[in-house]
Amino acid sequence: MAWDFSTEPEFQAQLDWVDEFCRTEVEPLDLVFPGAAYSRNPKAKALADPLKQQVKDRGLWALFLDRDLGGPGFGQLKLALLNEILGRYRSAPVVFGTAAPDTGNMEMLAAYGTDQQKRRWLYPLMNQEIFSAYSMTEPQGGSDPSLFSTRATRDGDEWVINGEKWFTSAGAHADIIFVMCVNGMFVVPRQTAGVEIAEFPALHNHIRYTNVRVPADHLLGPEDGAKVLAQRRLGGGRIHHAMRTVAQVKLAFDIMCERVLSRESHGKVIAEHQMVQEAIADSYAEINMLRLLVLWTAWTIDNSSTRESRTQIAACKYTCAKVLREVSYRALHIMGSLGTTDLTPLQAMWAAAPTMAIADGVDEVHKVTVARNVLKGYQPHPGLWPTEYLPAKREEARKKYADLIAADPDLAAWADAAARGRLGRR
Ligand SMILES: Cc1cc2nc3c(=O)[nH]c(=O)nc-3n(C[C@H](O)[C@H](O)[C@H](O)COP(=O)(O)OP(=O)(O)OC[C@H]3O[C@@H](n4cnc5c(N)ncnc54)[C@H](O)[C@@H]3O)c2cc1C
């Protein structure tokens, strides 16, 4: 059966394990020692590493990488189903070796790295022995890569990088930074002389690269190939965001549904008020529309490529931002005053909605991609009227029945009345 919405039993057993593992191991770690899974502190590592080992033992580590790129090769559809669980828990992606920004950087290395580059950076990244960041956006503008000016100049056996980058997530903590220059993608160890990290913003760093020298073999992929590598990187990242958003909106929905059954107002439980029912019904439909769009896109990637799925990935990106905005707002609103506090996950989820519409490309740019690509499948209509202009279509269709209409006055009258739009009961 081609259109089968079920999950094969073996993988469902894995998902059930992940669900239980996240609830009993990952969430408690998140609640009591937030950040421990990312930390290099030996005490934090002693807590998080055994969890990561359990994931490896189940064969679920770095699930985003295909087999030929060094991962288990489960594909994007299975990753989507997994991320529907992981996205609920803050540190689950890192416990499963699927956390941004390392995932996208690993995809680039796996696809474009030489054997030596893979040995030096990919495998240590996969094992979380090192962490990475991605420096693309520049202060003067992020949406339009033609505004970027960071450049590398060849000098003997080295490249010399000059430029300024903005909003490099986790740049201050990364061991290596993938720096997108106008003439290539470079791997820059953060400690290299000339890498200067500004004090603000704290999490997404503003970095100046002044005469930063890296050996020639730190160029990743071909010279002038940065845009191709960036597309490869960002395509994967965007669909992963959307997968995890499905988890977030399901969490918001669960919180909302439990609450409306638990409180009363004006003589009935809140769930019986029609406007609350509308919020539940709309959220249910929107979450499932997003989920099916994401699963269909993941399936398309598995059956073609990230590149061939660009239109769908772009649609996932702005749709997940929209559904996150709508559903988290409804859930927060239905929780009343409690929703406005940080005592449930909802306020942070709602605050993250605008971010989702900007990170990895603003909504407008993705909508342009979708509209442009979709319109490639259409042609302008040849004359004055659209193809579906009914009088012209009817005139054309009449030709099919010309002999019949000529021979039978009743049918001719029927067809004439239809043409004039005055068809009574016959
Ligand atoms: C949480 C987060 C993490 C990020 N992490 C990284 C990272 O690790 N590395 C990195 O390099 N970058 C990162 N970014 C930066 C991100 O890629 C940029 O913010 C994004 O590309 C938009 O660029 P900008 O912020 O300069 O906004 P601008 O390009 O200035 O856009 C601002 C607004 O202008 C309008 N606009 C822009 N272009 C168009 C258009 N074509 N059509 C219509 N309207 C338009 C839109 O309203 C848009 O929201 C991150 C951003 C966020 C929010």
Side-chain angles (χ1 to χ4, degrees):
M1 171 62 198
W3 287 84
D4 186 348
F5 293 90
S6 63
T7 307
E8 62 196 42
E10 299 77 29
F11 195 67
Q12 186 58 53
Q14 290 277 45
L15 294 175
D16 293 344
W17 179 83
V18 172
D19 194 35
E20 171 79 9
F21 175 74
C22 285
R23 271 189 294 109
T24 56
E25 301 291 346
V26 178
E27 187 171 43
L29 185 70
D30 266 347
L31 290 171
V32 183
F33 302 109
Y38 303 82
S39 174
R40 296 178 206 237
N41 176 318
K43 289 186 181 169
K45 282 175 75 62
L47 291 169
D49 285 356
L51 303 188
K52 295 176 187 176
Q53 191 56 49
Q54 285 193 56
V55 172
K56 289 176 186 167
D57 293 344
R58 295 287 302 195
L60 292 169
W61 184 257
L63 210 63
F64 67 100
L65 279 179
D66 290 340
R67 201 179 290 275
D68 57 325
L69 300 182
F74 279 178
Q76 297 295 314
L77 186 57
K78 284 182 172 157
L79 179 62
L81 295 169
L82 184 81
N83 271 331
E84 284 183 8
I85 303 168
L86 302 191
R88 264 176 113 104
Y89 307 95
R90 193 172 161 69
S91 63
V94 78
V95 172
F96 280 73
T98 59
D102 289 327
T103 42
N105 296 335
M106 282 190 262
E107 274 189 56
M108 277 195 303
L109 271 173
Y112 292 96
T114 61
D115 287 346
Q116 197 203 22
Q117 288 173 329
K118 286 181 191 171
R119 273 197 304 279
R120 194 188 297 163
W121 298 308
L122 175 61
Y123 305 128
L125 275 173
M126 274 178 87
N127 293 326
Q128 293 184 355
E129 290 155 14
I130 60 171
F131 292 95
S132 65
Y134 180 64
S135 252
M136 180 184 77
T137 306
E138 300 196 0
Q140 69 275 16
S143 298
D144 181 358
S146 70
L147 299 174
F148 298 167
S149 62
T150 301
R151 177 173 288 282
T153 312
R154 188 71 188 246
D155 182 19
D157 289 343
E158 292 181 323
W159 287 97
V160 185
I161 299 171
N162 277 288
E164 196 168 346
K165 295 289 183 180
W166 164 252
F167 243 71
T168 298
S169 299
H173 304 286
D175 299 284
I176 51 172
I177 306 176
F178 291 74
V179 182
M180 183 182 179
C181 294
V182 290
N183 54 335
M185 188 73 74
F186 292 85
V187 181
V188 177
R190 177 175 54 88
Q191 302 287 8
T192 312
V195 176
E196 184 200 345
I197 300 184
E199 192 180 354
F200 304 113
L203 298 178
H204 307 283
N205 301 111
H206 183 179
I207 308 181
R208 284 186 200 87
Y209 298 89
T210 311
N211 293 325
V212 173
R213 288 182 171 268
V214 290
D217 63 3
H218 283 41
L219 168 68
L220 183 60
E223 208 175 323
D224 294 324
K227 281 190 187 162
V228 178
L229 268 71
Q231 275 310 328
R232 167 90 197 201
R233 184 193 185 285
L234 295 169
R238 285 167 189 144
I239 181 83
H240 299 163
H241 275 314
M243 293 169 180
R244 287 189 291 263
T245 302
V246 173
Q248 287 282 297
V249 291
K250 280 169 127 182
L251 173 60
F253 191 68
D254 290 347
I255 295 172
M256 171 163 57
C257 289
E258 181 194 62
R259 185 68 164 182
V260 299
L261 294 172
S262 311
R263 288 193 44 112
E264 285 186 21
S265 167
H266 291 78
K268 45 190 173 183
V269 289
I270 293 174
E272 285 170 16
H273 289 284
Q274 283 196 348
M275 277 189 262
V276 171
Q277 290 171 343
E278 184 183 43
I280 303 281
D282 285 346
S283 301
Y284 172 81
E286 288 165 21
I287 291 168
N288 281 300
M289 286 192 281
L290 171 65
R291 180 171 188 251
L292 289 176
L293 177 64
V294 170
L295 292 177
W296 172 55
T297 304
W299 179 90
T300 308
I301 296 171
D302 286 344
N303 287 281
S304 57
S305 66
T306 309
R307 188 175 170 73
E308 286 168 86
S309 314
R310 274 183 71 181
T311 308
Q312 287 162 259
I313 292 172
C316 285
K317 179 62 180 44
Y318 59 77
T319 306
C320 82
K322 183 177 179 195
V323 176
L324 180 63
R325 191 168 62 234
E326 297 295 327
V327 174
S328 65
Y329 177 77
R330 287 186 202 121
L332 184 156
H333 182 76
I334 279 176
M335 296 294 282
S337 49
L338 181 59
T340 68
T341 70
D342 60 2
L343 301 176
T344 77
L346 289 171
Q347 202 206 33
M349 204 187 295
W350 156 245
T355 303
M356 189 58 79
I358 292 173
D360 280 354
V362 300
D363 282 356
E364 288 94 330
V365 170
H366 294 305
K367 288 182 180 180
V368 167
T369 300
V370 169
R372 277 202 186 132
N373 290 350
V374 166
L375 288 173
K376 283 178 193 158
Y378 289 85
Q379 298 289 331
H381 54 75
L384 185 59
W385 305 112
T387 309
E388 291 302 321
Y389 185 61
L390 290 176
K393 280 191 100 170
R394 194 175 287 117
E395 195 59 38
E396 194 57 31
R398 259 182 96 115
K399 291 179 190 162
K400 184 177 164 73
Y401 302 105
D403 293 346
L404 209 57
I405 289 170
D408 186 328
D410 280 349
L411 288 178
W414 189 338
D416 288 345
R420 289 196 304 274
R422 297 215 178 80
L423 192 62
R425 180 183 282 271
R426 294 197 169 254

